[in-house]
Amino acid sequence: MNRITIALAFAALTGISGAPISAAQAQNYPARAVTVIVPFAAGGPADITGRIAADILSKQTGGQFVVENVGGAGGATGATRAARAAPDGYTLLLGHLGTQAASLALNPNLAYNPRTDFEAIGMVGEQPELLVVRQSLPPKTLKEFVAYAKANESKLNMAHAGVGSVSYTGCLLFNNAIGIKPTLVPFTGTAPVMNALLADQVDYVCDPILGPLPHVRAGKMKALAITSAQRHPALPDVPTSAEAGLPQFNITIFFGLFAPKGTPKPTVDRLAAALMTGLDDEAAQKRLTVLGASIPDKSRRGPAPLAALVNTEIERLTPILKAATGK
Ligand code: MLT
């Protein structure tokens, strides 16, 4: 028996998954289904992005990557489960600017550390947010909405996907910029928020563009501003928040894949390469871009740039969010 065979036999007998992974094991990966935890409800921006990433990885590796929606606590329930999972490559997390950066400032009792509990695999895409109001709300522009919100603060309902989510974070920046404290209505994701907006049950949300885009196009809700520096080609009539007079309301959401800390490097490398190659595929790019997402340049997508982005976003956002929440 050579050393690789002995190591494989030892791992099989003992079930010790944390033993150093051999080259042969990495080549056989994935030998069974891989769970991709999406920490929000099915049908929203995180879920759809996670399902596209899972399809890419399935296609590129020949394995089976299956999304599991674990909503709750603004993404912290699912992200905590992923952080505590066995670091064997069979549990991954679709995280974003909320779970991997904003949560740290917004949740004093966060049960995981986004800086140290994960291995970054790669970015899946970026999306600006849209500030969207229900169709029946009188304001038609951001300026009108600001005036309306100030005059009707006590009866205004802002929907969000939990403290620490990006819908919470984006609208926190908006509310803080105009000095309002509306009633906050939490959901397990923004897919159910879309239903509540369509049913006139809540007044507004700040959501990554992928969620509201089809409803805005169908004339079922009104997009008043986009949080990117430039207007979006999918909605060229919607002004940027800076154009509409609120440059502080500026946020771009990264979505990325992460594995629990300690996942063997050959496995992380395999996943990172599969994601990188899969995102270069024209069909995969089209699938994301028609939904409003953008795929960053290769140099910004891999494990090291994603890990660096997590750190810079934590450093950039923490003082802003602590000031906005008075903490
Ligand atoms: C979702 O996918 O439900 C939302 O993007 C979650 C969030 O607001 O962070």
Side-chain angles (χ1 to χ4, degrees), residues 38-48 74-75 96 98-99 127 129 160-162 164-169 188-192 205-208 253 255:
V38 167
F40 295 98
D47 178 65
I48 292 171
H96 65 4
T99 55
Q127 297 174 43
E129 286 196 341
H160 64 96
S165 67
V166 295
S167 43
Y168 179 93
T169 305
T188 55
T190 52
V205 68
C206 302
D207 197 26
I253 313 303
F255 290 82

Side-chain angles (χ1 to χ4, degrees), residues 165-228:
S165 67
V166 295
S167 43
Y168 179 93
T169 305
C171 270
L172 177 65
L173 299 180
F174 171 76
N175 297 342
N176 197 54
I178 69 165
I180 58 159
K181 286 195 185 345
T183 301
L184 306 185
V185 187
F187 291 78
T188 55
T190 52
V193 167
M194 293 298 117
N195 293 335
L197 270 175
L198 291 170
D200 283 350
Q201 289 161 349
V202 292
D203 296 318
Y204 71 111
V205 68
C206 302
D207 197 26
I209 184 168
L210 191 157
L213 181 61
H215 305 294
V216 173
R217 277 188 169 142
K220 301 253 166 70
M221 45 187 80
K222 292 182 272 194
L224 304 186
I226 190 156
T227 61
S228 44

Side-chain angles (χ1 to χ4, degrees), residues 1-41:
M1 282 208 272
N2 62 22
R3 262 191 309 183
I4 290 175
T5 319
I6 293 168
L8 283 174
F10 177 77
L13 282 171
T14 59
I16 297 174
S17 57
I21 195 165
S22 67
Q25 275 173 303
Q27 262 170 21
N28 287 339
Y29 172 84
R32 56 186 165 87
V34 178
T35 300
V36 179
I37 294 181
V38 167
F40 295 98

